Amino acid sequence: MVLASLSPLGAVVRMSARSSAFQSRRFLAQAVSATTKGQDQTKPSSYKVVVVGGGSAGLSVASTLSEKLGSKAVAVVDPSDVHYYQPLWTFVGAGLKTFEESKKTMSEVMPKDAQWIKDSVASFNPTQNTITLANGESISYDYLVVAAGIQMNWGKVKNLPETLGKNGVTSNYSPDSVKKTNEFIKAFKGGNALFTMPSTPIKCAGAPQKIMYLAEEQWHKAGIRSQTDIKYFTGLGKIFSVEKYANELVKICKTRNINVNYFTDLAEIKPDSKEAVFNILAGEAKGTQLTLPYDFLHVTPPMGAPDFIKSSSLSNADGWVDVDKETLRHNKFANVYAIGDCSSLPTSKTAAAITAQSSVLKNNLLGDIFGGKQVAKYDGYTSCP
C-alpha cells in the first residue's frame, strides 16, 4: 500500500511530479553507483556549487550538477564515513533485512566528479557567499544547496539516550539501536508493547506504525498475541495526516486489537521501574501525565531542524531553511536552495518527496547558471509506502 499526499500549492503550471520522480531515480542511481575514490587533499576553497549534506537528497543533486559542471566544480560537505539507506531500517528492525544491507561507505556513493569535504558546517554567511566548517575553514560558493536532513532530539525525552538499546527500549531511527529492535521483538514473551510517535515533524511519518504492524505479526505467529497488549501513542490528533488513509489505518488497528491514543507525547522513561511517562496535550486531562508499564518500547524521537540551520539567517521562525514552496529557492538569498527534510516545504518529509524535489531544484539551479528560462515548480508530491 502506498499512502500518498499532495500539498495544496495552487493551480500553476508545474513539472509533473511523477515525471520528475522517474528522472531523479536515474540521478539517485548514478550517485549510488559512482566510482569509489578517496578525498583530494589539495581541494580548493571556492566552488561553483556547495551542497551541504551527503544523504540521498544531497547526493542526487551533486551527482547531476557535478556531471554538468565538471570535475571539482561541486563540493559535498558531510562528515560521515558511512551513507545509510534509512528507509530499509524498518525491515532491519523487523529482521527482514540485515543492517549491512542498509549501508555503504561514503566514498562509494560520492559522485566521481564532486569534491567531498569531510567536515561539518559550523555556520552560514549568505551575504558573503561562504560557509564556515567545524575546523574553522571558510568555503566560498556561487550557489549553495542545503540538504542537511533532520535532527534527532533524543535528549528531549528524559532518560532516553542512556536507556536506548537496553531492557526492551529501542528505536529504528538510530543505527546504534535498530538491530536491537529485532532482538527485543524475538525476546518478547508477552506483556505491554508500546509504540510512540512525537508531536514534532519527523521523517517518514509512517515508520512508527510500520514496525508496530510487523512486530504484531511476529507475535501472532509466535503464539503470544493473546498475552500481548499493544498500544500506539501519537502526539498528534490523528493516526495519519491524510484523512483517507487515516480512516483505513484506524480500521486496521481495530481489527488487530491495537489501542490508539491521540495527543499523548512521550516525555520520560523510568528504566528502573520500566515505565513510560506521557504528556497529555489535549482534552480534559490536558496538562497532566499518564504513566504506563512497558515490556517492549519502540520510541520515535522528537525531531527538528538542525541547530546550525536554526541559528542561521537561512532559517524561518520554525528553524527550517526558508524556501519558496514551488521553486525551492530561498526567499531571501537568490543563490541558495534547499531540499528535503531541512527545508520549509509544507509536505511530508520522505525520500519520495526528495525524488520529486530533486528534479525541480536541479532544473532551476542549472537555469540560473546557464540562463534557462523554464522554471520548474514542485507540486508537493510525497509518498509513504
Side-chain angles (χ1 to χ4, degrees):
M1 178 170 62
V2 175
L3 311 182
S5 62
L6 293 176
S7 297
L9 301 186
V12 296
V13 177
R14 51 174 62 87
M15 177 177 286
S16 165
R18 286 170 178 79
S19 173
S20 64
F22 282 121
Q23 294 176 42
S24 280
R25 287 191 191 100
R26 179 170 63 85
F27 297 136
L28 278 166
Q30 289 174 345
V32 171
S33 64
T35 303
T36 302
K37 62 190 176 304
Q39 289 175 266
D40 184 352
Q41 300 303 316
T42 61
K43 59 182 181 293
S45 59
S46 180
Y47 300 87
K48 191 69 176 177
V49 181
V50 169
V51 179
V52 176
S56 294
L59 293 182
S60 66
V61 170
S63 176
T64 304
L65 295 183
S66 60
E67 183 181 85
K68 298 289 186 182
L69 300 176
S71 179
K72 305 302 181 286
V74 176
V76 178
V77 182
D78 195 296
S80 302
D81 291 309
V82 180
H83 174 92
Y84 293 109
Y85 181 66
Q86 295 181 44
L88 203 64
W89 285 354
T90 288
F91 298 111
V92 174
L96 302 174
K97 292 289 184 179
T98 68
F99 181 68
E100 293 303 314
E101 289 179 275
S102 74
K103 69 178 188 177
K104 288 181 179 287
T105 62
M106 188 64 79
S107 60
E108 284 183 273
V109 298
M110 190 62 59
K112 63 182 179 61
D113 291 320
Q115 174 66 59
W116 177 24
I117 299 176
K118 191 176 181 295
D119 206 335
S120 56
V121 174
S123 62
F124 297 96
N125 189 356
T127 59
Q128 300 297 319
N129 294 334
T130 63
I131 61 171
T132 301
L133 303 178
N135 66 8
E137 183 182 355
S138 180
I139 304 293
S140 64
Y141 58 82
D142 291 341
Y143 297 91
L144 175 68
V145 177
V146 187
I150 198 168
Q151 179 174 289
M152 307 287 124
N153 292 320
W154 302 98
K156 289 195 173 182
V157 175
K158 187 177 180 181
N159 297 325
L160 175 57
E162 55 267 43
T163 306
L164 191 64
K166 304 173 185 175
N167 299 318
V169 179
T170 188
S171 177
N172 284 350
Y173 280 90
S174 167
D176 298 322
S177 63
V178 64
K179 290 182 286 186
K180 287 289 185 179
T181 302
N182 182 48
E183 178 184 322
F184 292 158
I185 287 173
K186 289 181 175 178
F188 185 75
K189 302 303 180 184
N192 291 327
L194 313 182
F195 296 81
T196 76
M197 162 82 172
S199 58
T200 66
I202 69 166
K203 55 183 173 182
C204 194
Q209 290 180 66
K210 294 175 190 177
I211 189 59
M212 177 175 67
Y213 301 132
L214 289 165
E216 192 271 344
E217 177 70 12
Q218 289 198 40
W219 294 329
H220 176 77
K221 290 180 177 179
I224 60 171
R225 184 63 183 89
S226 61
Q227 293 91 51
T228 302
D229 186 8
I230 301 177
K231 290 183 170 67
Y232 181 70
F233 296 89
T234 173
L236 306 176
K238 56 174 64 175
I239 196 169
F240 194 74
S241 60
V242 182
E243 195 71 27
K244 174 182 177 181
Y245 302 112
N247 293 337
E248 293 301 315
L249 291 167
V250 167
K251 292 177 184 177
I252 289 171
C253 287
K254 287 182 178 179
T255 300
R256 297 193 181 192
N257 195 27
I258 296 171
N259 183 271
V260 180
N261 301 268
Y262 303 107
F263 295 118
T264 47
D265 215 3
L266 183 64
E268 180 182 356
I269 298 172
K270 296 181 177 180
D272 294 338
S273 58
K274 295 193 73 172
E275 292 178 308
V277 181
F278 296 88
N279 289 332
I280 308 301
L281 305 180
E284 294 181 359
K286 181 179 179 180
T288 64
Q289 291 187 320
L290 171 68
T291 301
L292 292 173
Y294 66 83
D295 298 287
F296 176 94
L297 175 60
H298 181 274
V299 180
T300 301
M303 303 180 200
D307 289 337
F308 73 97
I309 292 176
K310 191 184 301 183
S311 62
S312 77
S313 57
L314 297 181
S315 69
N316 64 9
D318 295 322
W320 310 105
V321 182
D322 186 21
V323 294
D324 181 272
K325 64 184 180 181
E326 294 181 331
T327 65
L328 280 66
R329 187 194 304 275
H330 197 276
N331 286 318
K332 183 178 179 182
F333 304 103
N335 64 335
V336 176
Y337 287 83
I339 181 174
D341 298 351
C342 70
S343 75
S344 62
L345 296 170
T347 190
S348 298
K349 299 180 183 298
T350 69
I354 288 169
T355 303
Q357 293 163 19
S358 177
S359 286
V360 173
L361 189 154
K362 290 181 287 193
N363 177 89
N364 293 342
L365 198 157
L366 288 171
D368 290 347
I369 295 173
F370 296 114
K373 297 180 180 179
Q374 181 65 41
V375 176
K377 295 186 178 182
Y378 175 53
D379 64 4
Y381 175 81
T382 189
S383 178
C384 181

